[in-house]
Amino acid sequence: MGDRTGTRILRTVYTFFLGALIALFVGLGVATVHPGPKAPEASPALVAAQQTRELTPAEQQQWTDHLRDRDVWEERSVRHSRDVGVVTLIGSVLLLVLSLLVERRGQVLADGILLGGLFTLLHSVVRSLISQDTLVTFGVVTVALALVLYVGYRRFVDRPTEAGERSDTAPVVVSRNGKDPSHR
């Protein structure tokens, strides 16, 4: 394996690792700042009693309370997923904008940040789907689609060249006689 091939492989691995680490950083940061609700747990004795015999009226009341607490937890968990989906969407937007800003300074770094933004965007879409709020999910998916199209266009179609020109601009063609562009 030549030096160039090794460097290319190392850059690819670094870009992927940086992207995964950035997405993990955002996900853990959100979980640290905005932790999800704790799931209620029934006492092990009550669970064992429910599986082996008929519950007493007092145990039946405890079980009913546990199921009510579980329903409240599920509702809070759904709202939490919606909030996390929106917050990580904002984080992914910032990362994708940052990747466009650092593109001229270092391609490997910009690609890693771009990949991290895309992974974070995927996390946002998944958390929005978990929330079961179709309006929020549709909004997140709409923003995700617009972002991916815009960033893809900027990075791969309308890419600036070394001289600062856009790659999609047509070069000026001068004819052989210098006057008529139809004689190329």
Side-chain angles (χ1 to χ4, degrees), residues 139-168:
V140 167
V141 170
T142 301
V143 171
L145 178 61
L147 277 172
V148 169
L149 288 173
Y150 175 75
V151 171
Y153 179 79
R154 280 286 315 256
R155 292 291 300 270
F156 304 116
V157 176
D158 193 28
R159 188 177 202 122
T161 61
E162 294 297 322
E165 302 170 351
R166 297 284 179 207
S167 60
D168 64 342

PDB file of all heavy atoms in Angstrom, residues 139-168:
ATOM      1  N   GLY A 139     -42.206  18.420  10.706  1.00  0.00           N
ATOM      2  CA  GLY A 139     -41.357  19.615  10.690  1.00  0.00           C
ATOM      3  C   GLY A 139     -39.887  19.261  10.711  1.00  0.00           C
ATOM      4  O   GLY A 139     -39.082  19.825   9.956  1.00  0.00           O
ATOM      5  N   VAL A 140     -39.511  18.325  11.560  1.00  0.00           N
ATOM      6  CA  VAL A 140     -38.104  17.921  11.656  1.00  0.00           C
ATOM      7  C   VAL A 140     -37.649  17.277  10.352  1.00  0.00           C
ATOM      8  O   VAL A 140     -36.561  17.573   9.843  1.00  0.00           O
ATOM      9  CB  VAL A 140     -37.893  16.973  12.858  1.00  0.00           C
ATOM     10  CG1 VAL A 140     -36.535  16.297  12.802  1.00  0.00           C
ATOM     11  CG2 VAL A 140     -38.044  17.735  14.164  1.00  0.00           C
ATOM     12  N   VAL A 141     -38.466  16.410   9.782  1.00  0.00           N
ATOM     13  CA  VAL A 141     -38.094  15.753   8.525  1.00  0.00           C
ATOM     14  C   VAL A 141     -38.023  16.778   7.386  1.00  0.00           C
ATOM     15  O   VAL A 141     -37.137  16.698   6.533  1.00  0.00           O
ATOM     16  CB  VAL A 141     -39.077  14.605   8.199  1.00  0.00           C
ATOM     17  CG1 VAL A 141     -38.872  14.077   6.790  1.00  0.00           C
ATOM     18  CG2 VAL A 141     -38.917  13.480   9.212  1.00  0.00           C
ATOM     19  N   THR A 142     -38.912  17.758   7.393  1.00  0.00           N
ATOM     20  CA  THR A 142     -38.875  18.800   6.366  1.00  0.00           C
ATOM     21  C   THR A 142     -37.582  19.612   6.456  1.00  0.00           C
ATOM     22  O   THR A 142     -36.915  19.850   5.444  1.00  0.00           O
ATOM     23  CB  THR A 142     -40.096  19.736   6.502  1.00  0.00           C
ATOM     24  OG1 THR A 142     -41.278  18.958   6.370  1.00  0.00           O
ATOM     25  CG2 THR A 142     -40.069  20.832   5.462  1.00  0.00           C
ATOM     26  N   VAL A 143     -37.228  20.024   7.669  1.00  0.00           N
ATOM     27  CA  VAL A 143     -35.987  20.770   7.853  1.00  0.00           C
ATOM     28  C   VAL A 143     -34.789  19.887   7.493  1.00  0.00           C
ATOM     29  O   VAL A 143     -33.834  20.349   6.843  1.00  0.00           O
ATOM     30  CB  VAL A 143     -35.873  21.303   9.301  1.00  0.00           C
ATOM     31  CG1 VAL A 143     -34.504  21.881   9.573  1.00  0.00           C
ATOM     32  CG2 VAL A 143     -36.948  22.346   9.553  1.00  0.00           C
ATOM     33  N   ALA A 144     -34.822  18.623   7.876  1.00  0.00           N
ATOM     34  CA  ALA A 144     -33.730  17.696   7.562  1.00  0.00           C
ATOM     35  C   ALA A 144     -33.554  17.560   6.055  1.00  0.00           C
ATOM     36  O   ALA A 144     -32.429  17.614   5.540  1.00  0.00           O
ATOM     37  CB  ALA A 144     -33.985  16.339   8.199  1.00  0.00           C
ATOM     38  N   LEU A 145     -34.653  17.403   5.345  1.00  0.00           N
ATOM     39  CA  LEU A 145     -34.582  17.277   3.891  1.00  0.00           C
ATOM     40  C   LEU A 145     -34.012  18.541   3.255  1.00  0.00           C
ATOM     41  O   LEU A 145     -33.130  18.479   2.390  1.00  0.00           O
ATOM     42  CB  LEU A 145     -35.970  16.968   3.323  1.00  0.00           C
ATOM     43  CG  LEU A 145     -36.068  16.863   1.802  1.00  0.00           C
ATOM     44  CD1 LEU A 145     -35.193  15.735   1.288  1.00  0.00           C
ATOM     45  CD2 LEU A 145     -37.519  16.664   1.388  1.00  0.00           C
ATOM     46  N   ALA A 146     -34.499  19.685   3.687  1.00  0.00           N
ATOM     47  CA  ALA A 146     -34.000  20.955   3.141  1.00  0.00           C
ATOM     48  C   ALA A 146     -32.508  21.113   3.424  1.00  0.00           C
ATOM     49  O   ALA A 146     -31.742  21.533   2.546  1.00  0.00           O
ATOM     50  CB  ALA A 146     -34.791  22.121   3.730  1.00  0.00           C
ATOM     51  N   LEU A 147     -32.096  20.772   4.641  1.00  0.00           N
ATOM     52  CA  LEU A 147     -30.681  20.885   4.999  1.00  0.00           C
ATOM     53  C   LEU A 147     -29.811  19.966   4.164  1.00  0.00           C
ATOM     54  O   LEU A 147     -28.752  20.374   3.663  1.00  0.00           O
ATOM     55  CB  LEU A 147     -30.477  20.548   6.477  1.00  0.00           C
ATOM     56  CG  LEU A 147     -30.724  21.642   7.466  1.00  0.00           C
ATOM     57  CD1 LEU A 147     -30.677  21.078   8.874  1.00  0.00           C
ATOM     58  CD2 LEU A 147     -29.701  22.737   7.304  1.00  0.00           C
ATOM     59  N   VAL A 148     -30.217  18.726   4.040  1.00  0.00           N
ATOM     60  CA  VAL A 148     -29.413  17.767   3.284  1.00  0.00           C
ATOM     61  C   VAL A 148     -29.322  18.185   1.823  1.00  0.00           C
ATOM     62  O   VAL A 148     -28.245  18.118   1.213  1.00  0.00           O
ATOM     63  CB  VAL A 148     -29.992  16.344   3.439  1.00  0.00           C
ATOM     64  CG1 VAL A 148     -29.352  15.375   2.469  1.00  0.00           C
ATOM     65  CG2 VAL A 148     -29.805  15.859   4.872  1.00  0.00           C
ATOM     66  N   LEU A 149     -30.418  18.653   1.256  1.00  0.00           N
ATOM     67  CA  LEU A 149     -30.376  19.123  -0.134  1.00  0.00           C
ATOM     68  C   LEU A 149     -29.470  20.345  -0.280  1.00  0.00           C
ATOM     69  O   LEU A 149     -28.659  20.428  -1.207  1.00  0.00           O
ATOM     70  CB  LEU A 149     -31.784  19.444  -0.628  1.00  0.00           C
ATOM     71  CG  LEU A 149     -32.689  18.241  -0.888  1.00  0.00           C
ATOM     72  CD1 LEU A 149     -34.104  18.698  -1.205  1.00  0.00           C
ATOM     73  CD2 LEU A 149     -32.136  17.381  -2.011  1.00  0.00           C
ATOM     74  N   TYR A 150     -29.596  21.294   0.633  1.00  0.00           N
ATOM     75  CA  TYR A 150     -28.790  22.516   0.555  1.00  0.00           C
ATOM     76  C   TYR A 150     -27.303  22.216   0.736  1.00  0.00           C
ATOM     77  O   TYR A 150     -26.473  22.661  -0.063  1.00  0.00           O
ATOM     78  CB  TYR A 150     -29.247  23.533   1.600  1.00  0.00           C
ATOM     79  CG  TYR A 150     -28.366  24.757   1.628  1.00  0.00           C
ATOM     80  CD1 TYR A 150     -28.456  25.705   0.621  1.00  0.00           C
ATOM     81  CD2 TYR A 150     -27.437  24.947   2.641  1.00  0.00           C
ATOM     82  CE1 TYR A 150     -27.638  26.824   0.623  1.00  0.00           C
ATOM     83  CE2 TYR A 150     -26.609  26.067   2.646  1.00  0.00           C
ATOM     84  CZ  TYR A 150     -26.714  26.998   1.638  1.00  0.00           C
ATOM     85  OH  TYR A 150     -25.892  28.092   1.642  1.00  0.00           O
ATOM     86  N   VAL A 151     -26.987  21.468   1.765  1.00  0.00           N
ATOM     87  CA  VAL A 151     -25.573  21.163   2.027  1.00  0.00           C
ATOM     88  C   VAL A 151     -25.001  20.303   0.902  1.00  0.00           C
ATOM     89  O   VAL A 151     -23.870  20.518   0.459  1.00  0.00           O
ATOM     90  CB  VAL A 151     -25.394  20.495   3.398  1.00  0.00           C
ATOM     91  CG1 VAL A 151     -23.985  19.970   3.580  1.00  0.00           C
ATOM     92  CG2 VAL A 151     -25.731  21.478   4.507  1.00  0.00           C
ATOM     93  N   GLY A 152     -25.778  19.345   0.423  1.00  0.00           N
ATOM     94  CA  GLY A 152     -25.316  18.526  -0.700  1.00  0.00           C
ATOM     95  C   GLY A 152     -25.056  19.370  -1.937  1.00  0.00           C
ATOM     96  O   GLY A 152     -24.050  19.183  -2.635  1.00  0.00           O
ATOM     97  N   TYR A 153     -25.946  20.310  -2.199  1.00  0.00           N
ATOM     98  CA  TYR A 153     -25.744  21.199  -3.346  1.00  0.00           C
ATOM     99  C   TYR A 153     -24.495  22.055  -3.165  1.00  0.00           C
ATOM    100  O   TYR A 153     -23.671  22.163  -4.054  1.00  0.00           O
ATOM    101  CB  TYR A 153     -26.976  22.091  -3.543  1.00  0.00           C
ATOM    102  CG  TYR A 153     -26.817  23.052  -4.693  1.00  0.00           C
ATOM    103  CD1 TYR A 153     -27.000  22.621  -6.000  1.00  0.00           C
ATOM    104  CD2 TYR A 153     -26.470  24.378  -4.474  1.00  0.00           C
ATOM    105  CE1 TYR A 153     -26.838  23.482  -7.061  1.00  0.00           C
ATOM    106  CE2 TYR A 153     -26.310  25.249  -5.533  1.00  0.00           C
ATOM    107  CZ  TYR A 153     -26.498  24.801  -6.822  1.00  0.00           C
ATOM    108  OH  TYR A 153     -26.320  25.665  -7.869  1.00  0.00           O
ATOM    109  N   ARG A 154     -24.370  22.646  -1.973  1.00  0.00           N
ATOM    110  CA  ARG A 154     -23.205  23.510  -1.708  1.00  0.00           C
ATOM    111  C   ARG A 154     -21.894  22.741  -1.760  1.00  0.00           C
ATOM    112  O   ARG A 154     -20.891  23.240  -2.251  1.00  0.00           O
ATOM    113  CB  ARG A 154     -23.329  24.162  -0.335  1.00  0.00           C
ATOM    114  CG  ARG A 154     -24.224  25.343  -0.258  1.00  0.00           C
ATOM    115  CD  ARG A 154     -23.597  26.572  -0.908  1.00  0.00           C
ATOM    116  NE  ARG A 154     -22.218  26.767  -0.538  1.00  0.00           N
ATOM    117  CZ  ARG A 154     -21.747  27.642   0.314  1.00  0.00           C
ATOM    118  NH1 ARG A 154     -22.599  28.444   0.907  1.00  0.00           N
ATOM    119  NH2 ARG A 154     -20.469  27.744   0.572  1.00  0.00           N
ATOM    120  N   ARG A 155     -21.874  21.541  -1.217  1.00  0.00           N
ATOM    121  CA  ARG A 155     -20.631  20.787  -1.123  1.00  0.00           C
ATOM    122  C   ARG A 155     -20.261  20.065  -2.404  1.00  0.00           C
ATOM    123  O   ARG A 155     -19.083  19.905  -2.697  1.00  0.00           O
ATOM    124  CB  ARG A 155     -20.714  19.762   0.000  1.00  0.00           C
ATOM    125  CG  ARG A 155     -20.778  20.341   1.381  1.00  0.00           C
ATOM    126  CD  ARG A 155     -19.493  21.008   1.827  1.00  0.00           C
ATOM    127  NE  ARG A 155     -18.339  20.179   1.870  1.00  0.00           N
ATOM    128  CZ  ARG A 155     -17.934  19.477   2.902  1.00  0.00           C
ATOM    129  NH1 ARG A 155     -18.613  19.507   4.008  1.00  0.00           N
ATOM    130  NH2 ARG A 155     -16.851  18.751   2.822  1.00  0.00           N
ATOM    131  N   PHE A 156     -21.242  19.588  -3.172  1.00  0.00           N
ATOM    132  CA  PHE A 156     -20.919  18.713  -4.288  1.00  0.00           C
ATOM    133  C   PHE A 156     -21.267  19.277  -5.660  1.00  0.00           C
ATOM    134  O   PHE A 156     -20.723  18.820  -6.650  1.00  0.00           O
ATOM    135  CB  PHE A 156     -21.624  17.364  -4.102  1.00  0.00           C
ATOM    136  CG  PHE A 156     -21.283  16.727  -2.792  1.00  0.00           C
ATOM    137  CD1 PHE A 156     -22.264  16.518  -1.834  1.00  0.00           C
ATOM    138  CD2 PHE A 156     -19.991  16.362  -2.490  1.00  0.00           C
ATOM    139  CE1 PHE A 156     -21.953  15.944  -0.612  1.00  0.00           C
ATOM    140  CE2 PHE A 156     -19.664  15.786  -1.279  1.00  0.00           C
ATOM    141  CZ  PHE A 156     -20.647  15.574  -0.335  1.00  0.00           C
ATOM    142  N   VAL A 157     -22.141  20.262  -5.735  1.00  0.00           N
ATOM    143  CA  VAL A 157     -22.510  20.831  -7.030  1.00  0.00           C
ATOM    144  C   VAL A 157     -21.927  22.227  -7.188  1.00  0.00           C
ATOM    145  O   VAL A 157     -21.246  22.520  -8.169  1.00  0.00           O
ATOM    146  CB  VAL A 157     -24.052  20.873  -7.193  1.00  0.00           C
ATOM    147  CG1 VAL A 157     -24.441  21.542  -8.495  1.00  0.00           C
ATOM    148  CG2 VAL A 157     -24.624  19.475  -7.121  1.00  0.00           C
ATOM    149  N   ASP A 158     -22.175  23.079  -6.232  1.00  0.00           N
ATOM    150  CA  ASP A 158     -21.769  24.479  -6.308  1.00  0.00           C
ATOM    151  C   ASP A 158     -20.486  24.692  -5.517  1.00  0.00           C
ATOM    152  O   ASP A 158     -20.351  25.656  -4.786  1.00  0.00           O
ATOM    153  CB  ASP A 158     -22.897  25.361  -5.753  1.00  0.00           C
ATOM    154  CG  ASP A 158     -22.700  26.828  -6.085  1.00  0.00           C
ATOM    155  OD1 ASP A 158     -22.076  27.121  -7.104  1.00  0.00           O
ATOM    156  OD2 ASP A 158     -23.197  27.660  -5.309  1.00  0.00           O
ATOM    157  N   ARG A 159     -19.555  23.783  -5.673  1.00  0.00           N
ATOM    158  CA  ARG A 159     -18.328  23.793  -4.885  1.00  0.00           C
ATOM    159  C   ARG A 159     -17.367  24.868  -5.397  1.00  0.00           C
ATOM    160  O   ARG A 159     -17.089  24.939  -6.582  1.00  0.00           O
ATOM    161  CB  ARG A 159     -17.679  22.423  -4.974  1.00  0.00           C
ATOM    162  CG  ARG A 159     -16.534  22.278  -4.073  1.00  0.00           C
ATOM    163  CD  ARG A 159     -15.975  20.872  -4.168  1.00  0.00           C
ATOM    164  NE  ARG A 159     -15.264  20.652  -2.943  1.00  0.00           N
ATOM    165  CZ  ARG A 159     -15.507  19.695  -2.096  1.00  0.00           C
ATOM    166  NH1 ARG A 159     -16.424  18.826  -2.362  1.00  0.00           N
ATOM    167  NH2 ARG A 159     -14.817  19.588  -0.999  1.00  0.00           N
ATOM    168  N   PRO A 160     -16.818  25.688  -4.502  1.00  0.00           N
ATOM    169  CA  PRO A 160     -15.847  26.689  -4.929  1.00  0.00           C
ATOM    170  C   PRO A 160     -14.544  26.024  -5.371  1.00  0.00           C
ATOM    171  O   PRO A 160     -14.146  25.010  -4.823  1.00  0.00           O
ATOM    172  CB  PRO A 160     -15.604  27.546  -3.683  1.00  0.00           C
ATOM    173  CG  PRO A 160     -16.453  26.982  -2.614  1.00  0.00           C
ATOM    174  CD  PRO A 160     -17.119  25.768  -3.101  1.00  0.00           C
ATOM    175  N   THR A 161     -13.908  26.622  -6.383  1.00  0.00           N
ATOM    176  CA  THR A 161     -12.614  26.113  -6.840  1.00  0.00           C
ATOM    177  C   THR A 161     -11.508  26.806  -6.063  1.00  0.00           C
ATOM    178  O   THR A 161     -11.751  27.650  -5.213  1.00  0.00           O
ATOM    179  CB  THR A 161     -12.439  26.384  -8.352  1.00  0.00           C
ATOM    180  OG1 THR A 161     -12.476  27.793  -8.557  1.00  0.00           O
ATOM    181  CG2 THR A 161     -13.524  25.706  -9.152  1.00  0.00           C
ATOM    182  N   GLU A 162     -10.288  26.468  -6.372  1.00  0.00           N
ATOM    183  CA  GLU A 162      -9.135  27.058  -5.677  1.00  0.00           C
ATOM    184  C   GLU A 162      -9.096  28.580  -5.840  1.00  0.00           C
ATOM    185  O   GLU A 162      -8.725  29.293  -4.940  1.00  0.00           O
ATOM    186  CB  GLU A 162      -7.834  26.455  -6.221  1.00  0.00           C
ATOM    187  CG  GLU A 162      -7.670  24.991  -5.922  1.00  0.00           C
ATOM    188  CD  GLU A 162      -7.578  24.707  -4.435  1.00  0.00           C
ATOM    189  OE1 GLU A 162      -6.950  25.495  -3.706  1.00  0.00           O
ATOM    190  OE2 GLU A 162      -8.148  23.696  -3.993  1.00  0.00           O
ATOM    191  N   ALA A 163      -9.475  29.078  -7.008  1.00  0.00           N
ATOM    192  CA  ALA A 163      -9.406  30.516  -7.270  1.00  0.00           C
ATOM    193  C   ALA A 163     -10.603  31.262  -6.678  1.00  0.00           C
ATOM    194  O   ALA A 163     -10.688  32.468  -6.808  1.00  0.00           O
ATOM    195  CB  ALA A 163      -9.340  30.776  -8.775  1.00  0.00           C
ATOM    196  N   GLY A 164     -11.525  30.523  -6.038  1.00  0.00           N
ATOM    197  CA  GLY A 164     -12.671  31.180  -5.429  1.00  0.00           C
ATOM    198  C   GLY A 164     -13.875  31.260  -6.344  1.00  0.00           C
ATOM    199  O   GLY A 164     -14.910  31.760  -5.976  1.00  0.00           O
ATOM    200  N   GLU A 165     -13.746  30.753  -7.591  1.00  0.00           N
ATOM    201  CA  GLU A 165     -14.875  30.766  -8.512  1.00  0.00           C
ATOM    202  C   GLU A 165     -15.744  29.551  -8.233  1.00  0.00           C
ATOM    203  O   GLU A 165     -15.310  28.571  -7.658  1.00  0.00           O
ATOM    204  CB  GLU A 165     -14.369  30.693  -9.959  1.00  0.00           C
ATOM    205  CG  GLU A 165     -13.431  31.812 -10.341  1.00  0.00           C
ATOM    206  CD  GLU A 165     -12.781  31.537 -11.693  1.00  0.00           C
ATOM    207  OE1 GLU A 165     -12.932  30.425 -12.217  1.00  0.00           O
ATOM    208  OE2 GLU A 165     -12.116  32.432 -12.203  1.00  0.00           O
ATOM    209  N   ARG A 166     -16.957  29.603  -8.672  1.00  0.00           N
ATOM    210  CA  ARG A 166     -17.856  28.463  -8.541  1.00  0.00           C
ATOM    211  C   ARG A 166     -17.574  27.483  -9.668  1.00  0.00           C
ATOM    212  O   ARG A 166     -17.296  27.884 -10.806  1.00  0.00           O
ATOM    213  CB  ARG A 166     -19.323  28.905  -8.592  1.00  0.00           C
ATOM    214  CG  ARG A 166     -19.692  29.798  -7.449  1.00  0.00           C
ATOM    215  CD  ARG A 166     -19.849  28.946  -6.230  1.00  0.00           C
ATOM    216  NE  ARG A 166     -20.177  29.777  -5.082  1.00  0.00           N
ATOM    217  CZ  ARG A 166     -19.881  29.439  -3.861  1.00  0.00           C
ATOM    218  NH1 ARG A 166     -19.228  28.335  -3.618  1.00  0.00           N
ATOM    219  NH2 ARG A 166     -20.205  30.198  -2.866  1.00  0.00           N
ATOM    220  N   SER A 167     -17.691  26.195  -9.383  1.00  0.00           N
ATOM    221  CA  SER A 167     -17.385  25.186 -10.385  1.00  0.00           C
ATOM    222  C   SER A 167     -18.468  25.077 -11.452  1.00  0.00           C
ATOM    223  O   SER A 167     -18.231  24.521 -12.502  1.00  0.00           O
ATOM    224  CB  SER A 167     -17.199  23.823  -9.717  1.00  0.00           C
ATOM    225  OG  SER A 167     -18.383  23.455  -9.046  1.00  0.00           O
ATOM    226  N   ASP A 168     -19.664  25.606 -11.188  1.00  0.00           N
ATOM    227  CA  ASP A 168     -20.739  25.482 -12.162  1.00  0.00           C
ATOM    228  C   ASP A 168     -20.801  26.656 -13.138  1.00  0.00           C
ATOM    229  O   ASP A 168     -21.662  26.688 -13.998  1.00  0.00           O
ATOM    230  CB  ASP A 168     -22.084  25.322 -11.465  1.00  0.00           C
ATOM    231  CG  ASP A 168     -22.477  26.539 -10.644  1.00  0.00           C
ATOM    232  OD1 ASP A 168     -21.598  27.355 -10.335  1.00  0.00           O
ATOM    233  OD2 ASP A 168     -23.677  26.656 -10.317  1.00  0.00           O
TER     234      ASP A 168
END
